[in-house]
Amino acid sequence: LLVMTGDPVCGVDVHHLQYTTVGGVEERTTASGALMVPTGTDPRCSGARPMVLYAHGTATTQSKNMADVQNDGEASALMAFYASQGFIVVAPNYLGYDKSSLGYHPYLNAEASAIDMVDGLRAAKAHLMAQSATRPSDKLLLTGYSQGGHVAAATHKAIERDYASEFTV
C-alpha cells in the first residue's frame, strides 16, 4: 500500500461504533461501523479534518467489520488511503452485519442503506464531539466500492433530499 499511498502523514485511532438506525421495513435496529481518526503533530492530522463516508463492497459473511483493520483488506486500504493522510473516515458495516441486531441485510435497498449511512455518520460525529480533539470540517466526501457505489449514490441523493441542512457533500 505504501507504494500507492506514500508514507503515512498521520497515525490512526480506529474506533468501533454501534448506533441505532432503521431496517428495510423501517423497523428499529442497531448497526455498527468504523471511525478512523487521524492523529499526530502534523497540521494535516489535527484540528478540523475533512470526512470520508465510505460504503464497502458486497460482503458474503455477516461478520464483516470495517473496524477490523488488521484482518480486513478493504478496511486496511481505507485506513492507508484516507485516514493516514488526514481524513476522518466513517465506514458503516451495513444493516445485518457485524453487531447489527437486524437478522437480514436489505441488499440493494437504497433507502435503508442511505439511512444507515447517515445514522452512522451522525454517530461518528457525536463520538468525535464527545471524545476527541479532532473535529470534522464542513467537507464531506462520499465514496464506495462495488455495492458501495450504489450505497454512496443513494446516500448522496438522500442527503440532498432530506438532510441538506445537516450535511453538505
Side-chain angles (χ1 to χ4, degrees), residues 57-59 94-95 97 104-110 112-113 146-147 150:
T58 300
Y94 297 158
L95 296 164
Y97 288 96
Y104 68 96
H105 172 61
Y107 185 71
L108 296 182
N109 180 326
S113 296
S146 188
Q147 175 189 355
H150 173 263

Side-chain angles (χ1 to χ4, degrees), residues 31-156:
S32 65
L35 170 62
M36 301 175 189
V37 183
T39 62
T41 58
D42 189 288
R44 296 173 285 183
C45 305
S46 60
R49 306 301 321 137
M51 294 186 81
V52 172
L53 180 58
Y54 180 78
H56 68 74
T58 300
T60 58
T61 61
Q62 284 187 302
S63 61
K64 177 72 172 176
N65 179 6
M66 292 298 289
D68 188 7
V69 295
Q70 292 181 345
N71 297 305
D72 187 296
E74 186 177 9
S76 64
L78 185 62
M79 182 175 68
F81 277 96
Y82 294 106
S84 74
Q85 302 302 319
F87 292 87
I88 297 169
V89 176
V90 180
N93 292 321
Y94 297 158
L95 296 164
Y97 288 96
D98 185 43
K99 303 286 185 191
S100 175
S101 60
L102 198 63
Y104 68 96
H105 172 61
Y107 185 71
L108 296 182
N109 180 326
E111 193 65 22
S113 296
I115 292 169
D116 177 29
M117 295 292 283
V118 168
D119 286 340
L121 181 60
R122 285 179 175 145
K125 288 181 88 171
H127 181 87
L128 287 168
M129 299 310 285
Q131 298 185 26
S132 178
T134 304
R135 298 285 185 247
S137 73
D138 62 353
K139 292 180 174 47
L140 173 63
L141 300 95
L142 303 177
T143 190
Y145 168 74
S146 188
Q147 175 189 355
H150 173 263
V151 172
T155 303
H156 190 183

